[in-house]
């Protein structure tokens, strides 16, 4: 039942090469009935301007978020979403998107909360596919709905909440936002709208490793050697660490979560999706401003 | 909100959106995106004369002018940002040619009344609110 992995030599260096496919591989598997292609973008209309033939759209905001509570959809909601898009539990799902797969990685992370077994990213995402003049269509293919089982969302493995972060001091925190957000000069990414965090800065002891460092100019992931130099030589992380990554709303840190988990093979990485919009608005949580990670308040230090 | 102050052009656009199902509102927004007028040369060749709208996630630039008491609005956004192009196009089509006072009287929550909250999400709609606010500010400065 399982779909063959992409034998691309670059991927074989990664811890979990089965989590990536190349544009070449996808082009050869577009007619594979086992493979479902999903586009997930920042811009909610980009799919409608043209997408990979046969791809279905899943939007991070209107599909994956609960419309009322600040949370993801529940097991029933996810089953209805995937079943309605014609995606079975045994499907090989290949997700791609704009902005170096920033939102695609977010969607993949949410799929992981529901334990979807075979979900992969298209290395290089939408931009690389288009740059290579591969086929794009505006025709929407309606896949027949299928039964997707109701699987309870499991937040324990890869998701961290605010209290988890408060209990995490002493273990590595990675802030993947831009340097100006980290230092506290602003609360949003450059060129992004203000999203209502009331304070600026970062979580004490967090290291700043902007997410985009993991992406090459063409949007593909950097090689394993380059990634090790960024996260291990550069930020002092190792596979033994219990790591929590965060950003502004958890989307950019999903990209870093993917890199640490699937490309470098760290077994204990969580994404704090509440991220700065929650931390920066919470009462009495510690915050550090400036370019240095800063110290954890003695009352919260665990070590 | 009050509807009295709303010019016919903007009322018509709103009715167009509200007349169709949520899913088709996205496609209507795409039609607007594809129909964003090109910049005249005085802006196309001098993008620095346009104001960056930082409330939008995508790079969008806007300029509002007053010509014989009437509003002229120019905007540009990349093809990779169709939602933002659509927002800009709705406002260009809705505001261009209006008497300045009518444009300034457009309620600031006009973007929230198009029925797009469920289609594009309220967060994304903030970009259009930012666009409208900047256009009105430029008009106040120019009037």
């Amino acid at each position: 039942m399982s779909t063959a992995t992409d034998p691309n030599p670059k991927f074989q260096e990664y811890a979990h090469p089965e989590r990536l496919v190349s544009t070449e591989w996808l082009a050869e598997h577009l007619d594979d009935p086992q493979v479902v292609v999903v586009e997930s973008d920042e811009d909610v209309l980009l799919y409608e301007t043209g997408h990979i033939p046969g791809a279905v759209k899943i939007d991070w905001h209107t599909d994956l978020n609960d419309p009322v509570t600040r949370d993801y959809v529940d097991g029933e909601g996810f089953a209805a979403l995937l079943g309605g898009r014609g995606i079975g539990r045994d499907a090989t799902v290949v997700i791609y998107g704009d902005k170096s797969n920033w939102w695609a990685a977010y969607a993949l992370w949410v799929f992981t909360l529901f334990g979807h077994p075979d979900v992969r990213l298209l290395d290089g995402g939408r931009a690389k596919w288009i740059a290579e003049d591969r086929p794009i269509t505006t025709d929407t293919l309606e896949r027949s709905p299928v039964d997707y089982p109701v699987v309870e969302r499991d937040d324990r493995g890869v998701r961290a909440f605010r209290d988890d972060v408060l209990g995490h001091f002493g273990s590595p925190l990675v802030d993947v936002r831009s340097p100006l957000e980290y230092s506290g000069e602003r609360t949003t990414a450059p060129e992004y709208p203000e999203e209502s965090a009331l304070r600026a800065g970062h979580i004490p002891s967090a290291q700043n490793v902007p997410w985009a460092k993991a992406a090459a100019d063409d949007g593909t992931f950097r090689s394993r050697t380059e990634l090790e130099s960024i996260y291990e030589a550069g930020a002092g992380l190792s596979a033994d660490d219990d790591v929590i990554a965060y950003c502004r709303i958890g989307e950019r840190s999903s990209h870093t979560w993917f890199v640490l988990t699937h490309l470098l093979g760290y077994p204990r990485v969580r994404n704090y999706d509440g991220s700065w919009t929650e931390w920066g608005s919470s009462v009495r949580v510690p915050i550090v401003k400036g370019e240095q990670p800063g110290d954890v308040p003695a009352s919260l230090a665990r070590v | 909100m009050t509807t009295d102050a709303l010019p016919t052009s903007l009322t018509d656009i709103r009715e167009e959106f509200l007349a169709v199902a949520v899913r088709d509102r996205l496609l209507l927004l795409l039609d607007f995106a594809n129909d964003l007028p090109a910049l005249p040369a005085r802006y196309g060749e001098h993008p620095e004369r346009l104001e960056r709208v930082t409330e939008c996630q995508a790079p969008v630039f806007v300029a509002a002018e007053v010509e014989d008491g009437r509003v002229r609005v120019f905007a540009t956004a990349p093809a990779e940002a169709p939602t933002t192009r659509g927002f800009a196009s709705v406002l260009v089509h809705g505001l261009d040619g209006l008497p300045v006072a009518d444009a300034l009287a457009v309620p600031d929550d006009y973007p929230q009344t198009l029925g797009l909250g469920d289609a594009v999400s309220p967060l994304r709609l903030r970009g259009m609110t930012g666009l409208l606010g900047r256009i009105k500010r430029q008009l106040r400065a120019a009037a």
Side-chain angles (χ1 to χ4, degrees):
Chain A
M1 214 47 181
S2 66
T3 307
T5 58
D6 185 338
N8 186 318
K10 173 193 163 192
F11 300 162
Q12 305 317 308
E13 298 175 356
Y14 296 133
H16 300 293
E18 72 279 9
R19 292 297 179 180
L20 282 178
V21 302
S22 60
T23 49
E24 292 81 9
W25 185 95
L26 185 58
E28 288 164 11
H29 285 78
L30 284 185
D31 296 324
D32 185 335
Q34 186 64 27
V35 174
V36 182
V37 185
V38 170
E39 176 160 346
S40 205
D41 295 316
E42 175 174 280
D43 192 299
V44 67
L45 266 179
L46 200 51
Y47 170 91
E48 280 78 4
T49 67
H51 51 265
I52 295 177
V56 297
K57 167 183 170 182
I58 291 186
D59 183 66
W60 64 280
H61 207 290
T62 59
D63 290 323
L64 294 175
N65 277 289
D66 183 279
V68 179
T69 309
R70 185 176 171 186
D71 200 356
Y72 301 101
V73 291
D74 61 10
E76 289 186 358
F78 191 73
L81 172 67
L82 267 67
R85 297 285 199 281
I87 304 172
R89 183 78 174 170
D90 61 352
T92 295
V93 176
V94 175
I95 311 182
Y96 74 101
D98 58 358
K99 309 257 167 131
S100 302
N101 276 332
W102 168 350
W103 306 92
Y106 191 18
L108 184 143
W109 178 76
V110 175
F111 274 57
T112 305
L113 295 174
F114 294 95
H116 188 90
D118 189 356
V119 55
R120 313 178 184 187
L121 281 186
L122 174 66
D123 197 28
R126 181 183 165 94
K128 186 162 193 281
W129 182 272
I130 290 174
E132 291 170 349
D133 278 332
R134 295 184 187 277
I136 287 288
T137 180
T138 52
D139 296 340
T140 304
L141 178 92
E142 292 286 345
R143 297 179 59 86
S144 305
V146 298
D147 277 330
Y148 193 96
V150 174
V151 179
E152 190 98 356
R153 198 183 67 225
D154 186 348
D155 291 331
R156 290 169 303 177
V158 300
R159 188 178 186 194
F161 297 99
R162 194 192 70 153
D163 288 351
D164 297 328
V165 177
L166 282 167
H168 185 78
F169 289 120
S171 294
L173 282 160
V174 183
D175 183 321
V176 312
R177 297 174 301 160
S178 60
L180 286 181
E181 293 169 271
Y182 178 82
S183 67
E185 285 176 56
R186 52 181 303 149
T187 59
T188 60
E191 306 175 2
Y192 274 70
E194 293 289 330
E195 270 169 328
S196 309
L198 295 174
R199 291 288 187 272
H202 58 266
I203 301 176
S205 78
Q207 296 213 59
N208 188 206
V209 187
W211 72 280
K213 285 190 173 183
D217 291 341
D218 65 354
T220 57
F221 288 104
R222 292 196 180 279
S223 69
R224 175 141 194 182
T225 312
E226 290 170 319
L227 294 175
E228 282 170 352
S229 129
I230 294 163
Y231 294 99
E232 296 178 357
L237 298 179
S238 80
D240 301 331
D241 284 325
D242 180 1
V243 183
I244 294 178
Y246 72 94
C247 56
R248 177 183 50 119
I249 55 172
E251 39 16 320
R252 284 172 285 178
S253 41
S254 295
H255 191 274
T256 298
W257 168 85
F258 182 88
V259 169
L260 294 177
T261 300
H262 291 311
L263 305 188
L264 292 178
Y266 291 13
R268 290 187 298 162
V269 182
R270 283 174 290 167
N271 178 26
Y272 169 37
D273 58 275
S275 275
W276 197 256
T277 51
E278 178 180 49
W279 194 273
S281 299
S282 286
V283 176
R284 294 218 301 182
V285 297
I287 289 174
V288 170
K289 291 193 84 147
E291 291 167 8
Q292 297 304 315
D295 296 325
V296 174
S299 59
L300 292 168
R302 279 195 314 140
V303 178
Chain B
M1 60 158 282
T2 57
T3 49
D4 309 342
L6 203 58
T8 316
S9 51
L10 288 168
T11 312
D12 289 350
I13 291 173
R14 180 164 67 202
E15 281 174 6
E16 249 187 290
F17 275 104
L18 296 181
V20 296
V22 167
R23 192 172 166 173
D24 291 331
R25 287 177 199 163
L26 267 186
L27 298 179
L28 183 56
L29 188 63
L30 183 58
D31 287 344
F32 273 100
N34 291 332
D35 199 23
L36 178 65
L39 292 176
R42 68 181 188 279
Y43 287 115
E45 290 162 12
H46 295 280
E48 74 281 0
R49 293 180 184 162
L50 296 155
E51 179 180 353
R52 171 84 193 243
V53 181
T54 56
E55 289 85 0
C56 287
Q57 295 185 343
V60 53
F61 296 86
V62 68
E65 296 175 354
V66 178
E67 198 177 289
D68 301 329
R70 303 235 162 213
V71 171
R72 301 301 323 269
V73 182
F74 307 99
T76 182
E80 301 76 46
T83 301
T84 303
R85 282 182 67 85
F87 291 164
S89 180
V90 163
L91 294 176
V92 167
H93 286 282
L95 296 172
D96 204 55
L98 291 178
V100 176
D102 291 7
L104 288 175
V106 171
D108 293 333
D109 68 351
Y110 175 75
Q112 278 72 42
T113 66
L114 299 176
L116 285 168
D118 288 341
V120 307
S121 88
L123 188 65
R124 287 169 169 139
L125 260 184
R126 285 193 203 172
M128 192 167 170
T129 309
L131 259 169
L132 177 60
R134 280 163 194 268
I135 290 168
K136 286 168 73 171
R137 207 202 56 232
Q138 287 187 25
L139 289 175
R140 266 183 224 111

